[in-house]
Amino acid sequence: LALGMLMRLHLNEKNWPKAEQAGRELLTLGYSLVANYPNLFRTPTERNSETIWAVSCDAGADGNPLQGNFNPWSYYCLPNDYKGIRTGGGWGPRVGVFTPTWTFYDSFDAADKRRTLMVDSYKDGARNRANMRGPVLVKYPDEDSPQYQGNDLVILRYADVLLMLAEAINNQAGPTAEAVDLINQVRKRAGIANLPVADAATKDAFNTAVLRERSWELYFEGLRKMDLVRHGKWESALKAAGKIPGPSPYFPVPQYVLDLNEGLEQTPGY
């Protein structure tokens, strides 16, 4: 976990040699990709060879004192007419509060196993693209019988390490055969072909491919914003979504922190 967080830090600071060093050390620790991608997010198989660290959740917890470690994601992700194990559905009408876009769904190869965790229709087809603003996200499936889910929330896993290492290598030596192989390991598990040759033609092309692969592999795992910021794509992504970018991709420093730390500067723009 410490090496993985250090790798993320170095990557976001564009210290490519240090990121590579941490990544190569992680490769020696015995982790490996699991064969079945959906199993990473299911309660029965949440302890596996790929997950380096996850937030432990208890299906018997309900969020009350001493029972805060519950997973409520199905309520946010399932539409209110999408029947789950515990309830008649989630909180959003016809689609969950959180949903991918159809553009993102369509960006996947049709054979990509990772896309199966997004449902494009339900209720025997009565709910479909014509009346859903996006597919239903079932990455953490609703399979537990108590009120909340027991699926642990993944924070760091081996596939992320492989993709980070590929990025670190590329930004030093370009798209080497090793960097391409790291991505292809992830793509092979997803059931799709190796990276197209054109995507490894230049350093810039490979960086674009890495960012795209990270979106397919790691969606809904809390990493997309930092990835877009690192690649200089955060502002353009906001504009493409119809949002107005703020003064900075970073959060402001809370005033009480500034008051307690003389000399600490506010984030530019705030």
Side-chain angles (χ1 to χ4, degrees), residues 8 156-165 214 218 223:
R8 286 179 181 170
L156 177 68
R157 55 189 178 88
Y158 190 62
D160 185 12
V161 172
L162 296 180
L163 295 175
M164 286 194 290
L165 182 56
R214 289 182 65 81
L218 302 165
L223 301 173

Side-chain angles (χ1 to χ4, degrees), residues 2 33 42 45 50 72 75-77 88 90 97 129 147 165 180 191 210 218 230 249 255 264:
L33 299 177
R42 299 185 62 230
T45 49
E50 182 172 343
Y75 289 101
Y76 287 101
C77 297
V97 177
R129 285 179 179 247
Q147 182 180 4
L165 182 56
V180 172
V210 169
L218 302 165
R230 183 172 69 255
Q255 186 59 50
L264 186 64

Side-chain angles (χ1 to χ4, degrees), residues 163-180:
L163 295 175
M164 286 194 290
L165 182 56
E167 184 176 337
I169 292 172
N170 178 61
N171 280 287
Q172 297 174 87
T176 65
E178 181 188 19
V180 172

Side-chain angles (χ1 to χ4, degrees), residues 90-162:
W91 291 331
R94 296 197 178 184
V95 74
V97 177
F98 298 139
T99 179
T101 64
W102 289 117
T103 299
F104 178 65
Y105 179 84
D106 292 337
S107 71
F108 284 78
D109 187 302
D112 199 319
K113 298 175 183 177
R114 298 168 295 193
R115 195 179 74 166
T116 63
L117 301 186
M118 292 178 280
V119 177
D120 63 352
S121 67
Y122 64 101
K123 297 195 77 169
D124 296 325
R127 292 285 184 256
N128 53 50
R129 285 179 179 247
N131 49 39
M132 294 164 59
R133 64 184 177 89
V136 178
L137 187 60
V138 292
K139 194 163 188 177
Y140 288 100
D142 175 17
E143 298 179 317
D144 296 311
S145 55
Q147 182 180 4
Y148 294 104
Q149 298 168 255
N151 321 57
D152 288 352
L153 298 171
V154 177
I155 302 299
L156 177 68
R157 55 189 178 88
Y158 190 62
D160 185 12
V161 172
L162 296 180

Side-chain angles (χ1 to χ4, degrees), residues 252-270:
V253 179
Q255 186 59 50
Y256 77 88
V257 176
L258 294 172
D259 293 342
L260 292 172
N261 295 272
E262 183 179 354
L264 186 64
E265 297 182 358
Q266 180 58 275
T267 305
Y270 292 98

Side-chain angles (χ1 to χ4, degrees), residues 14 18 30 100 103-104 121 203 206 221-223 236 243 255:
K14 295 182 169 53
K18 287 288 188 180
T103 299
F104 178 65
S121 67
K203 183 182 291 187
F206 191 79
E221 294 182 43
L223 301 173
S236 60
K243 307 298 182 181
Q255 186 59 50

Side-chain angles (χ1 to χ4, degrees), residues 11-249:
L11 208 68
N12 290 328
E13 293 185 338
K14 295 182 169 53
N15 188 336
W16 314 119
K18 287 288 188 180
E20 179 183 355
Q21 180 182 346
R24 291 199 180 282
E25 189 169 348
L26 269 164
L27 293 187
T28 69
L29 300 183
Y31 293 100
S32 62
L33 299 177
V34 302
N36 186 13
Y37 181 79
N39 281 351
L40 288 163
F41 313 101
R42 299 185 62 230
T43 304
T45 49
E46 61 192 10
R47 297 187 180 216
N48 53 70
S49 64
E50 182 172 343
T51 300
I52 297 173
W53 191 66
V55 174
S56 179
C57 295
D58 183 354
D62 60 9
N64 288 313
L66 304 182
Q67 292 185 316
N69 58 325
F70 66 103
N71 181 343
W73 280 124
S74 64
Y75 289 101
Y76 287 101
C77 297
L78 299 185
N80 56 16
D81 59 355
Y82 190 106
K83 185 171 177 57
I85 296 293
R86 300 173 316 286
T87 68
W91 291 331
R94 296 197 178 184
V95 74
V97 177
F98 298 139
T99 179
T101 64
W102 289 117
T103 299
F104 178 65
Y105 179 84
D106 292 337
S107 71
F108 284 78
D109 187 302
D112 199 319
K113 298 175 183 177
R114 298 168 295 193
R115 195 179 74 166
T116 63
L117 301 186
M118 292 178 280
V119 177
D120 63 352
S121 67
Y122 64 101
K123 297 195 77 169
D124 296 325
R127 292 285 184 256
N128 53 50
R129 285 179 179 247
N131 49 39
M132 294 164 59
R133 64 184 177 89
V136 178
L137 187 60
V138 292
K139 194 163 188 177
Y140 288 100
D142 175 17
E143 298 179 317
D144 296 311
S145 55
Q147 182 180 4
Y148 294 104
Q149 298 168 255
N151 321 57
D152 288 352
L153 298 171
V154 177
I155 302 299
L156 177 68
R157 55 189 178 88
Y158 190 62
D160 185 12
V161 172
L162 296 180
L163 295 175
M164 286 194 290
L165 182 56
E167 184 176 337
I169 292 172
N170 178 61
N171 280 287
Q172 297 174 87
T176 65
E178 181 188 19
V180 172
D181 177 69
L182 290 168
I183 288 187
N184 284 339
Q185 289 182 49
V186 177
R187 291 174 66 90
K188 181 179 179 180
R189 191 262 298 278
I192 57 177
N194 286 341
L195 193 69
V197 173
D199 286 342
T202 65
K203 183 182 291 187
D204 287 344
F206 191 79
N207 269 334
T208 298
V210 169
L211 183 61
R212 185 178 64 241
E213 198 67 42
R214 289 182 65 81
S215 73
W216 293 333
E217 177 68 23
L218 302 165
Y219 66 92
F220 203 61
E221 294 182 43
L223 301 173
R224 192 58 177 168
K225 180 185 177 182
M226 69 179 77
D227 287 348
L228 289 169
V229 171
R230 183 172 69 255
H231 284 260
K233 302 289 181 65
W234 172 243
E235 185 171 318
S236 60
L238 283 179
K239 290 180 178 178
K243 307 298 182 181
I244 300 175
S248 170

